[in-house]
Amino acid sequence: MQPRDLSAHSPYVPGRGIEEVARDLGMDPADLTKLSSNENPHGPSPKAVEVLREYADAVHVYPKASHSDLTERLATEWDVDAEQVWVSAGADGSLDYLSRAMLDPGDRVLVPEPGFSYYGMTARYHHGSVASYPLSKADDFTQTADGVVDAYDGERIVYVTTPHNPTGSELPRDELVDLLGRVDDHTLVVVDEAYGEYAEGESAAALVDEVDNLAVTRTFSKAYGLAGLRIGYALVPSEWADAYARVNTPFAANELACRAARAALDDDAHLEKTVETARWARRHLREELDAHTWESAGNFVLAEVGDASAVSDASQRAGVIVRDCTSFGLPACIRVSTGTREETTRAVEVLNRVVHEVTEA
Ligand code: PMP
């Protein structure tokens, strides 16, 4: 027996982990700094960790009250009805729910290229197909409504990432409003704000109740430091918010994740420290790296280093794991996540040495 034809599906390529690299290179994990997956260098919110410890012996129950509590808390946070908050296992889970709710077999989605690969993956899982709009290096990956609309051909879902992974660029508010007005009535614009906390600008969430074709996705994986728990959400228009009950995987957002996420929302100190460090580190990377870099509103910086694969290999051997952007279609670029001040300073030293060595080799 065989599965269905999966030849159009490519596996997700994650940033490399510390244990994996340490094992491959025979290194001590303690000597490695991981700046390849845009994780939180300060770790999880301490308030979330407290709750995890407190509720560890309560995981024999299905997550019902904890899910409702988180939903209510998020509804208050964003000033929407509880029904409009679709809690999921990571923001990836929300992308799946939106695919389930929106896509009929054969429907097409429009995604940024380069961009986050899961948009296309979830469309294909749901028997849809994928077209792309370009963000061009020559144009500093600038995002505009025109850039999307030029490629738009009536797709059912249009994805926008702001701040954009892996480039750090943003879609300005007026461009988003313009885009929302220019797509067909049947097109949902999904604004992915996985890195929204690090940006200076306001969330698109404020627009969700003003139009009926906008959904916003957010996650606890980055600024709240809960990537390992898998918890995120979408904010959707009230007109069709009740579709959640028909498309969500029962209890996919787990008990501890729901409780920890709720606690993390009340941990202002951790969030402030996280955002402050990321803003310092992205400035430091831009000022100190001997490579062309792009302005970033996220917790990472894209740098043009020549041979990204050779540079990331050499950097890894020198103890700093960064993301080779070849899988994003940018074989000359690496993406460096913002670490603590110490980690970021070390990364700059290592990368500057390695880039020179690789260029001269
Ligand atoms: N969107 C973007 C742009 C991302 O970079 C990521 C994580 N790499 C996600 C969504 C998904 O995040 P998660 O599923 O961990 O919430």
Side-chain angles (χ1 to χ4, degrees), residues 108 110 131 148-156 158 183-184 186-187:
R108 227 179 26 247
L110 188 66
V148 180
V149 171
D150 283 351
Y152 172 72
D153 189 19
E155 280 79 7
R156 180 68 158 141
V158 170
V183 294
D184 297 340
H186 68 261
T187 296

Side-chain angles (χ1 to χ4, degrees), residues 108-158:
R108 227 179 26 247
V109 305
L110 188 66
V111 306
E113 178 69 55
F116 182 52
S117 61
Y118 199 67
Y119 306 142
M121 292 170 69
T122 181
R124 291 189 185 97
Y125 294 159
H126 295 88
H127 305 271
S129 62
V130 186
S132 65
Y133 62 92
L135 297 183
S136 99
K137 190 156 85 170
D139 231 359
D140 289 331
F141 306 105
T142 302
Q143 300 196 61
T144 62
D146 280 347
V148 180
V149 171
D150 283 351
Y152 172 72
D153 189 19
E155 280 79 7
R156 180 68 158 141
I157 299 179
V158 170

Side-chain angles (χ1 to χ4, degrees), residues 258-279:
C258 289
R259 289 194 184 275
R262 192 173 177 287
L265 285 168
D266 290 331
D267 196 343
D268 294 339
H270 178 262
L271 182 65
E272 272 165 35
K273 180 169 78 169
T274 296
V275 171
E276 190 188 295
T277 306
R279 289 182 181 168

Side-chain angles (χ1 to χ4, degrees), residues 20-38:
E20 181 191 354
V21 171
R23 216 176 307 123
D24 279 4
L25 300 179
M27 290 171 74
D28 182 347
D31 293 336
L32 286 164
T33 301
K34 185 186 179 202
L35 299 177
S36 55
S37 295
N38 299 341

Side-chain angles (χ1 to χ4, degrees), residues 143-208:
Q143 300 196 61
T144 62
D146 280 347
V148 180
V149 171
D150 283 351
Y152 172 72
D153 189 19
E155 280 79 7
R156 180 68 158 141
I157 299 179
V158 170
Y159 282 102
V160 169
T161 323
T162 184
H164 177 261
N165 178 14
T167 69
S169 75
E170 292 177 278
L171 179 72
R173 170 56 54 90
D174 53 338
E175 295 289 333
L176 172 61
V177 170
D178 188 20
L179 175 63
L180 289 165
R182 288 166 71 186
V183 294
D184 297 340
D185 287 348
H186 68 261
T187 296
L188 175 70
V189 176
V190 176
V191 175
D192 179 351
E193 295 184 350
Y195 302 97
E197 290 82 3
Y198 302 102
E200 311 270 352
E202 216 195 318
S203 166
L207 297 174
V208 165

Side-chain angles (χ1 to χ4, degrees), residues 241-291:
D242 61 352
Y244 183 66
R246 279 183 283 275
V247 299
N248 87 88
T249 302
F251 308 121
N254 74 72
E255 175 73 8
L256 293 179
C258 289
R259 289 194 184 275
R262 192 173 177 287
L265 285 168
D266 290 331
D267 196 343
D268 294 339
H270 178 262
L271 182 65
E272 272 165 35
K273 180 169 78 169
T274 296
V275 171
E276 190 188 295
T277 306
R279 289 182 181 168
W280 172 84
R282 70 194 186 205
R283 230 180 9 254
H284 185 75
L285 287 164
R286 291 217 62 205
E287 283 166 8
E288 301 298 330
L289 272 184
D290 294 338

